[in-house]
Amino acid sequence: MGLLNFSPEPLPEAVSGDMHSLNQLGAQQFCALTDVLFRFLTEPKEVERFLAQLSDFASTNKISLGALKSIVKSVLLVPSGALKRNLSSEQVRADFIALGLSEEKASYFAEQWKLNSPALTRLAVGQTLMINQLIDMEWKFGVTAGSSELEKVGSIFLQLKLVVKKGGQMENVYMELTLPQFYSFLHEMERVKTSLESFS
Amino acid sequence: QAPSRDAVRQLCQESFSSPPAALGPLARRACPGLAAAPEEAAQLVSALHNLTRHVVYRGLTKPEDILALFPENFHQNLKNLLTKIILENVSAWRNEAQASQISLPRLVDMDWRVDIKTSSDNISRMAVPTCLLQLKIQEDAALCGNNPVVSAMTVELSKETLDTMLEGLGRIRDQLSAVANK
């Protein structure tokens, strides 16, 4: 096997056998399997549904589930590597052909890749590391009526609660702002928005 | 018996600002200047503390109200001097009381920067802008006394999060205007 676009490292041994088995599938079956795979890739949380669909596919097409799982594992290496390396659909197609898949099947897969890659890229970007990600913000404001030092006060306070994801856990950050601080904060955040928009 | 008007003024200010626990040491410091016995100094400082705090608490601003607080046979000139000093300071003292009120931790500063993420372990090439916001938060002044603890927290916001946050802040602004216009 020559150099592949999607992976610089040597592939696991099972891959060539799996590709051969994949090639044996009829065109219709291959399309159906590809659809199942992309549905999973675009909704990675739906693991149970994916496994159920694989199981159905295996019984409908008289393939053993174990063999099917091995094939799926090998096939999924390609889109995952392609996503990391921002590969084009031509490159994906070329890789499948290099792996021994028929031109027809490789083209079909590459087409599906092209259709799905915006959604897949968005998903991958969404998983990018974020430091202390702001998850939620709650607020309340009111008037301080009195205190132990001052019988009548009448000043407005604004309280913010920020929910921040620190590592795996959520942390609540509470703070109070005076009105001038609030307006200044709002103004700064609008400047940030302008800045972010200019880079999008 | 105080040496000068300024000394009286100073003593009033210090008596107001000290929390009850610090009045003892303050009285001891004041003793030499007043040529008074320690117990007398302590009584004086305590009385000044209570008087000034009472004026601020009630929000008294008229001289007549303050003069009315003194007992009948109080030394006339001293009464007028104290009233004058108190009136001079009452609004600064009011601000001081408000600033040291119990509260949630307070925002004292904020800074931000916008970064562009160009690469990650999931995708080798991308151009995603993101915002880092640093908030400096000071713990409740009443708890920390003279050494307020300021902590800095840096949070990251995606563009979507920022948009949602701005929506929320906009609603706060609208609600504030509605309250102000009532």
Coordinates of all heavy atoms in Angstrom, one line a residue, chain A residues 84-86 121 124-125 127-134 137 139 141 147-153 155 159 162 164 173-176 179 181-182 185-186 188-189 192-193 195-197 199-200, chain B residues 56-58 94 98 101 103-107 110 112 114 116-117 121-126 128-131 133 135 137 154-156 158-159 161-163 165-166 168-169 172-173 175-176:
Chain A
K84 N -9.5 15.1 10.6 CA -8.3 15.7 11.3 C -7.5 16.5 10.3 O -6.9 17.5 10.6 CB -7.4 14.6 11.9 CG -7.7 14.4 13.3 CD -6.6 13.5 14.0 CE -7.3 12.9 15.2 NZ -6.7 12.0 16.0
R85 N -7.3 15.9 9.1 CA -6.4 16.5 8.1 C -7.1 17.4 7.1 O -6.5 17.8 6.1 CB -5.6 15.4 7.4 CG -4.6 14.9 8.3 CD -3.9 13.7 7.7 NE -2.9 13.2 8.7 CZ -3.2 12.6 9.8 NH1 -4.4 12.3 10.1 NH2 -2.2 12.2 10.6
N86 N -8.4 17.7 7.3 CA -9.2 18.5 6.4 C -9.0 18.0 4.9 O -8.7 18.8 4.0 CB -8.7 20.0 6.4 CG -8.8 20.6 7.8 OD1 -7.8 20.6 8.5 ND2 -10.0 21.1 8.1
T121 N -17.3 18.8 10.5 CA -16.3 19.7 10.9 C -16.9 20.6 12.1 O -16.2 20.8 13.1 CB -16.0 20.7 9.8 OG1 -15.7 19.9 8.6 CG2 -14.8 21.5 10.1
A124 N -16.6 18.6 15.2 CA -15.2 18.5 15.7 C -14.8 19.8 16.3 O -14.1 19.8 17.4 CB -14.3 18.1 14.6
V125 N -15.1 20.9 15.7 CA -14.8 22.2 16.3 C -15.4 22.4 17.6 O -14.8 22.9 18.6 CB -15.2 23.4 15.3 CG1 -15.1 24.7 16.0 CG2 -14.3 23.4 14.1
Q127 N -16.0 20.3 19.7 CA -15.3 19.5 20.8 C -13.9 20.1 21.1 O -13.3 19.5 22.0 CB -15.1 18.1 20.3 CG -16.3 17.2 20.4 CD -16.2 16.0 19.5 OE1 -15.1 15.7 19.1 NE2 -17.3 15.3 19.3
T128 N -13.6 21.2 20.5 CA -12.2 21.7 20.8 C -12.2 22.2 22.3 O -13.1 22.7 22.8 CB -12.0 22.9 19.9 OG1 -12.3 22.6 18.6 CG2 -10.6 23.4 20.0
L129 N -11.0 22.0 22.8 CA -10.7 22.4 24.2 C -11.1 23.8 24.5 O -10.8 24.7 23.7 CB -9.2 22.3 24.4 CG -8.6 22.6 25.7 CD1 -9.0 21.5 26.7 CD2 -7.1 22.6 25.6
M130 N -11.9 24.0 25.6 CA -12.2 25.3 26.0 C -11.8 25.4 27.5 O -12.0 24.5 28.3 CB -13.7 25.6 25.9 CG -14.1 26.0 24.5 SD -15.7 26.6 24.5 CE -15.4 28.4 24.3
I131 N -11.2 26.5 27.9 CA -10.8 26.7 29.3 C -11.9 27.4 30.0 O -12.3 28.5 29.7 CB -9.5 27.7 29.3 CG1 -8.5 27.3 28.3 CG2 -8.9 27.6 30.7 CD1 -7.7 26.1 28.6
N132 N -12.3 26.8 31.1 CA -13.3 27.4 32.0 C -14.5 28.0 31.1 O -14.8 29.1 31.2 CB -12.7 28.6 32.8 CG -11.8 28.1 33.8 OD1 -11.7 27.0 34.1 ND2 -11.1 29.1 34.4
Q133 N -15.1 27.1 30.4 CA -16.1 27.5 29.5 C -17.3 28.1 30.2 O -17.8 27.4 31.2 CB -16.6 26.3 28.6 CG -17.5 26.7 27.6 CD -18.0 25.5 26.8 OE1 -17.7 24.3 27.2 NE2 -18.8 25.7 25.8
L134 N -17.8 29.2 29.8 CA -19.0 29.8 30.4 C -20.2 29.0 29.9 O -20.5 28.9 28.7 CB -19.2 31.2 30.0 CG -20.4 32.0 30.6 CD1 -20.3 32.0 32.1 CD2 -20.5 33.4 30.0
M137 N -25.6 31.9 32.5 CA -25.6 33.1 33.3 C -27.0 33.4 33.9 O -27.9 33.4 33.1 CB -25.1 34.3 32.5 CG -25.1 35.6 33.2 SD -24.5 37.0 32.1 CE -26.0 37.5 31.4
W139 N -29.2 36.1 36.6 CA -29.0 37.3 37.3 C -30.3 37.7 38.1 O -31.4 37.2 37.9 CB -28.8 38.5 36.3 CG -30.0 38.9 35.6 CD1 -30.9 39.8 35.9 CD2 -30.4 38.4 34.3 NE1 -31.9 39.9 35.0 CE2 -31.6 39.1 33.9 CE3 -29.9 37.5 33.4 CZ2 -32.3 38.9 32.7 CZ3 -30.5 37.3 32.2 CH2 -31.7 37.9 31.9
F141 N -31.7 41.6 40.1 CA -31.3 42.8 40.6 C -32.4 43.4 41.5 O -33.5 42.9 41.4 CB -30.9 43.8 39.6 CG -32.0 44.3 38.6 CD1 -32.8 45.3 39.0 CD2 -32.2 43.6 37.5 CE1 -33.8 45.8 38.1 CE2 -33.2 44.1 36.6 CZ -34.0 45.1 36.9
S147 N -29.6 48.6 56.0 CA -28.6 47.7 56.4 C -28.3 48.0 57.9 O -28.9 48.8 58.5 CB -27.3 47.9 55.6 OG -26.7 49.1 56.0
S148 N -27.4 47.2 58.5 CA -27.1 47.4 59.9 C -26.4 48.8 60.1 O -26.4 49.3 61.2 CB -26.3 46.3 60.5 OG -25.3 45.9 59.6
E149 N -25.8 49.3 59.0 CA -25.2 50.6 59.2 C -26.0 51.8 58.8 O -25.8 52.9 59.2 CB -23.8 50.6 58.4 CG -22.7 49.8 59.0 CD -22.6 48.5 58.4 OE1 -23.0 48.3 57.2 OE2 -22.1 47.5 59.0
L150 N -26.9 51.5 57.8 CA -27.7 52.6 57.3 C -29.2 52.2 57.3 O -29.6 51.2 56.7 CB -27.3 52.9 55.8 CG -25.8 53.3 55.7 CD1 -25.4 53.1 54.2 CD2 -25.7 54.7 56.1
E151 N -30.0 53.0 58.0 CA -31.4 52.6 58.1 C -32.1 52.6 56.7 O -32.8 51.7 56.4 CB -32.1 53.6 59.0 CG -33.4 53.1 59.5 CD -34.1 54.1 60.4 OE1 -33.8 55.3 60.3 OE2 -34.8 53.6 61.3
K152 N -31.9 53.7 55.9 CA -32.5 53.7 54.6 C -31.5 53.8 53.6 O -30.7 54.7 53.6 CB -33.4 54.9 54.5 CG -34.7 54.9 55.4 CD -35.7 55.8 54.8 CE -36.8 56.2 55.8 NZ -36.3 56.8 57.0
V153 N -31.5 52.9 52.6 CA -30.4 52.9 51.6 C -30.9 53.3 50.2 O -30.7 54.3 49.7 CB -29.6 51.6 51.6 CG1 -28.5 51.7 50.6 CG2 -29.1 51.3 52.9
S155 N -30.3 51.7 47.3 CA -29.4 51.7 46.1 C -29.6 50.4 45.3 O -30.0 49.4 45.9 CB -27.9 51.7 46.6 OG -27.7 50.6 47.5
Q159 N -26.9 41.3 40.8 CA -26.1 40.1 41.1 C -26.1 39.1 40.0 O -27.1 38.8 39.4 CB -26.8 39.4 42.4 CG -26.5 40.1 43.6 CD -27.3 39.6 44.8 OE1 -28.1 38.7 44.7 NE2 -27.0 40.1 46.0
L162 N -22.5 33.1 37.4 CA -22.0 32.5 36.2 C -21.7 31.1 36.4 O -21.1 30.7 37.4 CB -20.7 33.2 35.8 CG -20.7 34.7 35.5 CD1 -19.3 35.2 35.2 CD2 -21.6 35.0 34.3
V164 N -19.7 28.0 35.3 CA -18.4 27.8 34.5 C -18.0 26.3 34.6 O -18.1 25.7 35.7 CB -17.3 28.7 35.1 CG1 -16.0 28.4 34.5 CG2 -17.7 30.1 35.0
V173 N -20.0 31.0 40.0 CA -19.3 32.1 40.4 C -20.3 33.2 40.7 O -21.1 33.6 39.8 CB -18.3 32.6 39.4 CG1 -17.6 33.8 39.8 CG2 -17.4 31.5 39.0
Y174 N -20.4 33.8 41.9 CA -21.3 34.8 42.2 C -20.6 36.1 42.3 O -19.6 36.2 42.9 CB -22.0 34.5 43.6 CG -22.8 33.2 43.6 CD1 -22.2 32.0 44.0 CD2 -24.1 33.3 43.2 CE1 -23.0 30.9 44.0 CE2 -24.9 32.1 43.2 CZ -24.3 30.9 43.6 OH -25.0 29.7 43.6
M175 N -21.3 37.2 41.8 CA -20.7 38.5 42.0 C -21.8 39.6 42.0 O -22.8 39.4 41.4 CB -19.6 38.8 41.0 CG -20.2 38.9 39.6 SD -18.9 39.0 38.4 CE -18.7 37.2 38.1
E176 N -21.4 40.7 42.5 CA -22.3 41.8 42.6 C -21.7 43.0 41.7 O -20.5 43.2 41.8 CB -22.5 42.3 44.0 CG -23.8 42.7 44.3 CD -24.0 43.0 45.8 OE1 -24.4 42.0 46.5 OE2 -23.9 44.1 46.2
L179 N -24.5 49.7 39.3 CA -25.0 50.0 38.0 C -24.0 50.5 37.0 O -24.0 50.1 35.8 CB -26.1 51.1 38.1 CG -27.5 50.6 38.5 CD1 -28.5 51.6 38.2 CD2 -27.8 49.4 37.7
Q181 N -20.9 49.8 36.8 CA -20.1 48.7 36.4 C -20.9 47.8 35.4 O -20.3 47.3 34.4 CB -19.8 47.8 37.6 CG -18.7 48.2 38.4 CD -18.5 47.3 39.6 OE1 -19.4 46.8 40.2 NE2 -17.2 47.1 39.9
F182 N -22.2 47.7 35.6 CA -23.0 46.9 34.7 C -23.0 47.5 33.3 O -22.8 46.8 32.3 CB -24.5 46.8 35.2 CG -25.4 46.3 34.1 CD1 -25.3 45.0 33.7 CD2 -26.3 47.2 33.5 CE1 -26.2 44.5 32.7 CE2 -27.1 46.7 32.4 CZ -27.0 45.4 32.0
F185 N -19.7 46.9 31.7 CA -19.6 45.5 31.3 C -20.3 45.3 30.0 O -19.8 44.6 29.1 CB -20.2 44.7 32.5 CG -20.0 43.2 32.3 CD1 -18.8 42.6 32.3 CD2 -21.1 42.4 32.2 CE1 -18.6 41.2 32.1 CE2 -21.0 41.0 32.0 CZ -19.8 40.4 32.0
L186 N -21.5 45.8 29.9 CA -22.3 45.6 28.7 C -21.6 46.2 27.5 O -21.5 45.6 26.5 CB -23.7 46.3 28.9 CG -24.7 46.3 27.8 CD1 -25.0 45.0 27.2 CD2 -25.9 47.0 28.2
E188 N -18.4 46.7 27.1 CA -17.2 45.9 26.8 C -17.6 44.7 26.0 O -17.0 44.3 25.0 CB -16.4 45.5 28.0 CG -15.6 46.6 28.7 CD -14.7 47.3 27.7 OE1 -13.8 46.6 27.1 OE2 -14.8 48.5 27.6
M189 N -18.7 44.0 26.5 CA -19.1 42.8 25.8 C -19.6 43.1 24.4 O -19.4 42.3 23.5 CB -20.3 42.1 26.6 CG -19.8 41.5 27.9 SD -18.7 40.1 27.7 CE -17.2 40.8 28.0
V192 N -16.6 43.2 22.4 CA -16.1 41.8 22.1 C -16.8 41.2 20.9 O -16.3 40.6 20.0 CB -16.2 40.9 23.3 CG1 -15.8 39.5 22.9 CG2 -15.4 41.4 24.5
K193 N -18.1 41.5 20.9 CA -19.0 40.9 19.8 C -18.5 41.4 18.5 O -18.4 40.7 17.5 CB -20.4 41.2 20.1 CG -21.3 40.7 19.0 CD -22.8 40.9 19.3 CE -23.6 40.7 18.0 NZ -24.8 39.9 18.2
S195 N -15.6 42.5 17.7 CA -14.3 41.9 17.4 C -14.5 40.5 16.9 O -13.9 40.1 15.9 CB -13.5 41.9 18.7 OG -12.3 41.4 18.4
L196 N -15.3 39.7 17.5 CA -15.5 38.3 17.1 C -16.1 38.3 15.7 O -15.8 37.4 14.9 CB -16.4 37.6 18.1 CG -15.8 37.1 19.4 CD1 -16.8 36.4 20.3 CD2 -14.6 36.2 19.2
E197 N -17.1 39.2 15.5 CA -17.7 39.2 14.2 C -16.8 39.5 13.1 O -16.9 39.0 12.0 CB -18.9 40.1 14.2 CG -20.1 39.4 14.8 CD -21.3 40.3 14.9 OE1 -21.2 41.5 14.7 OE2 -22.4 39.7 15.2
F199 N -13.8 38.6 12.8 CA -13.0 37.5 12.5 C -13.7 36.3 12.0 O -13.1 35.3 11.7 CB -12.2 37.1 13.8 CG -11.1 38.1 14.2 CD1 -11.2 38.8 15.3 CD2 -10.0 38.3 13.3 CE1 -10.2 39.7 15.7 CE2 -9.0 39.2 13.7 CZ -9.1 39.9 14.8
S200 N -15.0 36.4 12.0 CA -15.8 35.2 11.6 C -15.9 35.0 10.1 O -15.9 36.0 9.4 CB -17.2 35.2 12.1 OG -17.1 35.2 13.5
Chain B
V56 N -25.2 58.5 61.2 CA -25.2 57.9 59.8 C -26.3 57.0 59.6 O -26.9 56.9 58.5 CB -23.8 57.2 59.6 CG1 -23.8 56.4 58.3 CG2 -22.7 58.3 59.6
Y57 N -26.6 56.2 60.6 CA -27.7 55.2 60.4 C -29.0 55.8 60.1 O -29.7 55.4 59.3 CB -27.7 54.3 61.7 CG -28.8 53.3 61.7 CD1 -28.6 52.1 61.0 CD2 -30.0 53.5 62.3 CE1 -29.6 51.1 61.0 CE2 -31.0 52.5 62.3 CZ -30.8 51.4 61.6 OH -31.8 50.4 61.6
R58 N -29.3 56.9 61.0 CA -30.6 57.5 60.8 C -30.6 58.4 59.6 O -31.6 58.9 59.2 CB -30.9 58.4 62.0 CG -31.3 57.5 63.2 CD -32.5 56.6 62.8 NE -33.3 56.2 63.9 CZ -34.1 57.0 64.5 NH1 -34.3 58.3 64.1 NH2 -34.8 56.6 65.6
R94 N -21.3 58.0 55.1 CA -22.4 57.2 54.5 C -21.8 56.3 53.4 O -22.2 55.2 53.3 CB -23.4 58.2 54.0 CG -24.8 57.6 54.0 CD -25.7 58.6 53.3 NE -26.8 57.8 52.8 CZ -27.8 57.2 53.5 NH1 -27.8 57.3 54.8 NH2 -28.7 56.5 52.9
Q98 N -21.7 52.3 53.1 CA -22.2 51.5 51.9 C -21.2 50.6 51.3 O -21.5 49.5 50.9 CB -22.8 52.5 50.9 CG -24.3 52.3 50.8 CD -24.9 53.3 49.8 OE1 -24.7 54.5 49.9 NE2 -25.6 52.7 48.8
Q101 N -20.7 47.5 53.3 CA -21.9 46.7 53.5 C -21.6 45.2 53.2 O -20.8 45.0 52.3 CB -22.9 47.2 52.6 CG -24.3 47.3 53.1 CD -25.1 48.2 52.2 OE1 -25.4 49.3 52.5 NE2 -25.4 47.7 51.0
S103 N -22.1 42.0 51.2 CA -22.6 41.8 49.9 C -22.0 40.5 49.3 O -21.1 39.9 50.0 CB -22.1 43.0 49.0 OG -20.7 42.9 48.7
L104 N -22.4 40.2 48.2 CA -21.7 39.1 47.5 C -20.4 39.6 47.1 O -20.1 40.8 47.1 CB -22.5 38.7 46.2 CG -23.8 37.9 46.5 CD1 -24.4 37.6 45.1 CD2 -23.5 36.7 47.3
P105 N -19.5 38.8 46.7 CA -18.2 39.2 46.2 C -18.4 40.3 45.1 O -19.4 40.1 44.3 CB -17.5 38.0 45.6 CG -18.2 36.9 46.2 CD -19.6 37.3 46.6
R106 N -17.6 41.3 45.0 CA -17.8 42.3 44.0 C -16.9 42.3 42.9 O -15.7 42.0 43.0 CB -17.7 43.7 44.7 CG -18.7 43.9 45.7 CD -18.7 45.3 46.2 NE -19.6 45.3 47.3 CZ -19.6 46.3 48.2 NH1 -18.8 47.2 48.1 NH2 -20.5 46.2 49.2
L107 N -17.4 42.6 41.7 CA -16.6 42.7 40.5 C -15.8 44.0 40.7 O -16.3 45.0 40.9 CB -17.5 42.8 39.3 CG -16.8 42.9 38.0 CD1 -16.1 41.6 37.7 CD2 -17.7 43.2 36.8
M110 N -12.5 44.0 34.9 CA -12.6 43.0 33.9 C -11.7 43.3 32.7 O -11.5 44.5 32.4 CB -14.1 42.9 33.5 CG -14.5 44.0 32.6 SD -16.0 43.5 31.7 CE -15.3 43.0 30.2
W112 N -10.5 41.6 28.6 CA -10.9 40.6 27.7 C -9.9 40.5 26.6 O -9.1 41.5 26.3 CB -12.3 40.8 27.1 CG -12.5 42.1 26.4 CD1 -13.1 43.2 26.9 CD2 -12.3 42.3 25.0 NE1 -13.2 44.2 26.0 CE2 -12.8 43.7 24.8 CE3 -11.8 41.6 23.9 CZ2 -12.7 44.3 23.5 CZ3 -11.8 42.2 22.7 CH2 -12.2 43.5 22.5
V114 N -9.5 38.5 22.4 CA -10.1 37.6 21.4 C -9.0 36.8 20.8 O -8.0 37.4 20.4 CB -10.9 38.4 20.3 CG1 -11.2 37.5 19.1 CG2 -12.2 39.0 20.9
I116 N -7.8 33.5 18.1 CA -8.3 32.7 16.9 C -7.7 31.3 17.1 O -6.5 31.2 17.1 CB -7.9 33.3 15.6 CG1 -8.2 34.8 15.5 CG2 -8.5 32.5 14.4 CD1 -9.5 35.1 15.1
K117 N -8.6 30.3 17.2 CA -8.0 29.0 17.4 C -7.7 28.5 16.0 O -8.6 28.4 15.1 CB -9.1 28.0 18.0 CG -9.4 28.5 19.4 CD -10.2 27.4 20.0 CE -11.2 27.9 21.0 NZ -11.8 27.0 21.9
D121 N -6.4 19.0 18.4 CA -6.2 17.5 18.2 C -7.3 16.9 17.3 O -7.1 15.9 16.7 CB -6.0 16.8 19.5 CG -7.2 17.0 20.4 OD1 -7.8 18.1 20.4 OD2 -7.5 16.1 21.2
N122 N -8.4 17.6 17.2 CA -9.5 17.1 16.4 C -9.4 17.5 15.0 O -9.9 16.8 14.1 CB -10.8 17.6 16.9 CG -11.2 16.9 18.2 OD1 -10.8 15.7 18.4 ND2 -12.0 17.5 19.1
I123 N -8.9 18.7 14.8 CA -8.9 19.3 13.4 C -7.6 20.0 13.3 O -7.3 20.9 14.1 CB -10.0 20.3 13.2 CG1 -11.4 19.6 13.3 CG2 -9.9 20.9 11.8 CD1 -12.5 20.3 12.6
S124 N -6.8 19.7 12.2 CA -5.5 20.4 12.1 C -5.6 21.8 11.6 O -4.7 22.6 11.9 CB -4.6 19.6 11.3 OG -5.1 19.4 10.0
R125 N -6.6 22.2 10.9 CA -6.7 23.5 10.4 C -8.1 24.1 10.6 O -9.1 23.5 10.2 CB -6.4 23.6 8.9 CG -5.0 24.0 8.5 CD -4.8 24.3 7.0 NE -5.8 24.0 6.1 CZ -5.9 22.9 5.3 NH1 -4.9 22.0 5.4 NH2 -6.9 22.7 4.5
M126 N -8.1 25.2 11.3 CA -9.4 25.9 11.5 C -9.2 27.4 11.8 O -8.0 27.8 12.0 CB -10.2 25.2 12.6 CG -9.5 25.2 14.0 SD -10.6 24.4 15.1 CE -9.6 24.2 16.5
V128 N -11.2 29.6 14.3 CA -12.4 29.8 15.2 C -12.1 30.9 16.2 O -11.2 30.7 17.0 CB -12.8 28.5 15.9 CG1 -14.0 28.7 16.8 CG2 -13.1 27.5 14.9
P129 N -12.8 32.1 16.1 CA -12.5 33.1 17.1 C -13.2 32.7 18.4 O -14.3 32.1 18.4 CB -13.2 34.3 16.5 CG -14.2 33.8 15.5 CD -13.8 32.4 15.1
T130 N -12.5 33.1 19.5 CA -13.1 32.8 20.8 C -12.7 34.0 21.8 O -11.7 34.7 21.5 CB -12.6 31.5 21.3 OG1 -13.3 31.1 22.5 CG2 -11.1 31.5 21.6
C131 N -13.5 34.2 22.8 CA -13.2 35.3 23.7 C -12.8 34.8 25.1 O -13.4 33.9 25.6 CB -14.5 36.1 23.9 SG -14.3 37.3 25.2
L133 N -12.4 36.1 28.9 CA -12.8 37.2 29.7 C -12.2 37.0 31.1 O -12.4 35.9 31.7 CB -14.3 37.1 29.8 CG -15.1 38.2 30.6 CD1 -14.8 39.5 30.0 CD2 -16.5 37.9 30.6
L135 N -12.3 38.1 35.0 CA -13.0 38.9 35.9 C -12.2 39.0 37.3 O -11.8 37.9 37.8 CB -14.4 38.3 36.2 CG -15.2 38.1 34.9 CD1 -16.4 37.2 35.2 CD2 -15.8 39.5 34.5
I137 N -12.5 39.6 41.1 CA -13.6 39.6 42.0 C -13.0 39.7 43.4 O -12.1 39.0 43.8 CB -14.4 38.3 41.9 CG1 -15.0 38.2 40.5 CG2 -15.5 38.2 42.9 CD1 -15.6 36.9 40.2
T154 N -10.7 33.4 34.9 CA -10.8 33.6 33.4 C -11.8 32.6 32.8 O -11.7 31.4 33.1 CB -9.4 33.4 32.8 OG1 -8.4 34.2 33.5 CG2 -9.4 33.7 31.3
V155 N -12.7 33.1 32.1 CA -13.7 32.3 31.4 C -13.6 32.4 29.9 O -13.2 33.5 29.4 CB -15.2 32.5 31.8 CG1 -15.4 32.1 33.2 CG2 -15.5 34.0 31.6
E156 N -13.9 31.3 29.2 CA -13.9 31.4 27.8 C -15.3 31.4 27.2 O -16.1 30.6 27.7 CB -13.1 30.1 27.2 CG -12.8 30.2 25.8 CD -11.9 29.1 25.2 OE1 -11.2 28.5 26.0 OE2 -12.0 28.9 24.0
S158 N -17.6 31.2 23.6 CA -17.7 31.1 22.2 C -18.6 32.2 21.7 O -19.2 32.9 22.5 CB -18.3 29.7 21.8 OG -19.7 29.7 22.2
K159 N -18.6 32.4 20.4 CA -19.4 33.5 19.8 C -20.9 33.3 20.2 O -21.6 34.2 20.5 CB -19.2 33.5 18.3 CG -19.9 34.7 17.7 CD -19.5 35.0 16.3 CE -20.3 36.1 15.7 NZ -21.8 35.9 15.8
T161 N -22.1 31.7 22.8 CA -22.3 32.0 24.2 C -22.4 33.5 24.4 O -23.2 34.0 25.2 CB -21.2 31.4 25.1 OG1 -21.0 30.1 24.8 CG2 -21.5 31.6 26.6
L162 N -21.5 34.2 23.7 CA -21.4 35.7 23.9 C -22.8 36.3 23.4 O -23.3 37.2 24.1 CB -20.3 36.3 23.1 CG -20.3 37.8 23.1 CD1 -19.8 38.3 24.5 CD2 -19.3 38.3 22.1
D163 N -23.3 35.8 22.3 CA -24.5 36.3 21.8 C -25.7 36.1 22.8 O -26.4 37.0 23.1 CB -24.9 35.7 20.5 CG -24.1 36.1 19.3 OD1 -23.5 37.2 19.4 OD2 -24.0 35.4 18.3
M165 N -25.3 35.7 26.0 CA -25.0 36.6 27.2 C -25.5 38.0 26.9 O -26.1 38.7 27.7 CB -23.5 36.6 27.5 CG -23.2 37.4 28.7 SD -21.4 37.7 28.8 CE -21.1 37.2 30.4
L166 N -25.2 38.5 25.7 CA -25.6 39.9 25.3 C -27.1 40.0 25.3 O -27.6 41.1 25.8 CB -25.0 40.3 24.0 CG -23.6 40.9 24.1 CD1 -23.0 41.1 22.7 CD2 -23.6 42.2 24.8
G168 N -29.1 38.4 27.3 CA -29.4 38.5 28.7 C -29.1 39.9 29.3 O -29.9 40.5 30.0
L169 N -27.9 40.4 28.9 CA -27.5 41.7 29.4 C -28.5 42.8 28.9 O -28.8 43.7 29.6 CB -26.1 42.0 29.1 CG -25.0 41.2 29.7 CD1 -23.6 41.5 29.2 CD2 -25.0 41.3 31.2
I172 N -31.5 42.8 30.9 CA -31.3 43.5 32.2 C -31.4 45.0 32.0 O -32.0 45.7 32.8 CB -29.9 43.1 32.8 CG1 -29.8 41.7 33.1 CG2 -29.6 43.9 34.1 CD1 -28.4 41.2 33.6
R173 N -30.7 45.5 31.0 CA -30.8 46.9 30.7 C -32.2 47.4 30.5 O -32.6 48.4 31.1 CB -29.9 47.2 29.5 CG -29.8 48.7 29.2 CD -29.2 49.0 27.8 NE -29.9 48.2 26.8 CZ -29.3 47.8 25.7 NH1 -28.1 48.1 25.4 NH2 -30.0 47.0 24.9
Q175 N -34.9 46.0 31.7 CA -35.6 46.0 33.0 C -35.2 47.1 33.9 O -36.0 47.7 34.6 CB -35.3 44.6 33.7 CG -36.1 43.5 33.0 CD -35.6 42.1 33.6 OE1 -34.8 42.0 34.5 NE2 -36.2 41.1 33.1
L176 N -33.9 47.4 33.9 CA -33.4 48.6 34.7 C -34.1 49.9 34.2 O -34.5 50.7 35.0 CB -31.9 48.7 34.6 CG -31.1 47.7 35.4 CD1 -29.6 47.8 35.1 CD2 -31.3 48.0 36.9

